[in-house]
C-alpha cells in the first residue's frame, strides 16, 4: 500500500521515518522535500512517503495536494493519507505522551460569528463542510494498533492559550480529543483526490492555559515513532473502508 504521511515540521517527519529501516530517498517538491519510499515493516508492508509541509492548514493543504497530484500523474497514486504530528490533548481524555486517532477531522473555526456572539459554521451557512469523517474500520484499526484514543481532532489556526477557549471548543465539539494545526488542510486535499484520510498525533501538551515550558515534545515525538512502528503491520487495503 502506498501511503502519504504529512507532518508540519521536520522533527515530526523524522519521528515518523525513525520507525523505518534504511534511510529514504529525498524528492524535492514545490513546498517541501518528500522522504520517499520509507518502509517501516517488511517488503510486503506499506510504503510511506513522508512530507513536512509546514505549519497551519494552508501549508498542509498545499503540500498534501502537490504530493497527491505528483503521485497521481506519475501513475502511482496514494491509497491512504495520514496527517501526523504532535498535538494538544483535551484532558482527561488525551494524556501527555499518549496517542490520538481521528474519528473526524474538524475545522472548528470555519464559519462566521453571529451578532449575538454565537458561531455559525460553514455548513450551517451553506458554503461547505467543517468536518471530514474517517472510515470506521480505518479509525478503529489505527486506534487498536497504536493504543490511540479516538475522537474528533480539531484543526485550529491559533493554538489554544486559555481555559475559556478550551471550554468553548469542547462545548462545540464534546467528542474532541486533541487539537493540531494541519489536519483539516490535509483532509481537504485527500478528499479532493478521493483518498481516505486519518489523523494520528501524539500529545505533547494539554489544551488550555499556555505553558510552553510544560510541553513534552521529546516524549511526544518518541510516542509518534512508536505509533508508526505499531501501525505499519496492520495497514492492509481492506482497512480503508
Ligand atoms: O520545538 C521543537 O523541537 C518542536 C519539535 C516538533 C514540533 C514542534 C512544534 O511546535 C510543532 C507545532 C505543531 O504541533 C501541533 N501542536 C502541538 N500542540 C498544539 C496545541 O496545543 N495546539 C495546536 N497545535 C498544536 C500543531 O499541529 C503545530 O503545527 C516543535
Amino acid at each position: 500500500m502506498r501511503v502519504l504521511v504529512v507532518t508540519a515540521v521536520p522533527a515530526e517527519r523524522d519521528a515518523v521515518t525513525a520507525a523505518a529501516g534504511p534511510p529514504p530517498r529525498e524528492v524535492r517538491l514545490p513546498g517541501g522535500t518528500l522522504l520517499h519510499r520509507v518502509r517501516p515493516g517488511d517488503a510486503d508492508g506499506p510504503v510511506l512517503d513522508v512530507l513536512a509541509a509546514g505549519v497551519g492548514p494552508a501549508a498542509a493543504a498545499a503540500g498534501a495536494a502537490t504530493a497527491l497530484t505528483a503521485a497521481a500523474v506519475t501513475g502511482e497514486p496514494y491509497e491512504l493519507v495520514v496527517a501526523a504530528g504532535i498535538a494538544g490533548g483535551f484532558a482527561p481524555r488525551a494524556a501527555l505522551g499518549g496517542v490520538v486517532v481521528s474519528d473526524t477531522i474538524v475545522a472548528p473555526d470555519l464559519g462566521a460569528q453571529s451578532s449575538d456572539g454565537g458561531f455559525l459554521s460553514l455548513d450551517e451557512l451553506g458554503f461547505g463542510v467543517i468536518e471530514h469523517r474517517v472510515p470506521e474500520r480505518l479509525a478503529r484499526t489505527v486506534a487498536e494498533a497504536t493504543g490511540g484514543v479516538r475522537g474528533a481532532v480539531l484543526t485550529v489556526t491559533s493554538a489554544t492559550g486559555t481555559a475559556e477557549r478550551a471550554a468553548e471548543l469542547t462545548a462545540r465539539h464534546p467528542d474532541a480529543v486533541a487539537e493540531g494545526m494541519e489536519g483539516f488542510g490535509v483532509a481537504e486535499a485527500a478528499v479532493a483526490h478521493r483518498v481516505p484520510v486519518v489523523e494520528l498525533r501524539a500529545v505533547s501538551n494539554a489544551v488550555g492555559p499556555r505553558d510552553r515550558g510544560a510541553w513534552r515534545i521529546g516524549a511526544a515525538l518518541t510516542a509518534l515513532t512508536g505509533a508508526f512502528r505499531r501501525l505499519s503491520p496492520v495497514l492492509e487495503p481492506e482497512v480503508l473502508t
Side-chain angles (χ1 to χ4, degrees), residues 120-139:
L120 297 164
S121 68
L122 206 64
D123 46 0
E124 289 170 314
L125 293 166
F127 293 142
V129 299
I130 64 156
E131 178 173 316
H132 293 295
R133 178 157 287 282
V134 177
E136 165 58 26
R137 188 167 171 188
L138 175 60

Side-chain angles (χ1 to χ4, degrees), residues 8-9 11 55 86-88 159 179-182 201 204-205 212 215 217:
V9 299
V55 174
I86 63 173
E179 69 171 36
M181 300 178 74
E182 294 79 26
R201 289 186 180 269
S204 54
N205 59 285
R212 190 62 165 76
W215 284 37
I217 290 174

Side-chain angles (χ1 to χ4, degrees), residues 6 14 47 62-63 69 85 102 115 121-122 127 141 153 155 168 174-175 178 182 185 206 211 215 221 227 229 232:
V6 183
D14 294 345
V47 181
T69 302
S102 61
S115 55
S121 68
L122 206 64
F127 293 142
T141 303
V153 178
T155 302
E168 180 193 337
D175 58 339
E182 294 79 26
D211 179 6
W215 284 37
L221 294 173
R229 272 204 192 104
S232 55

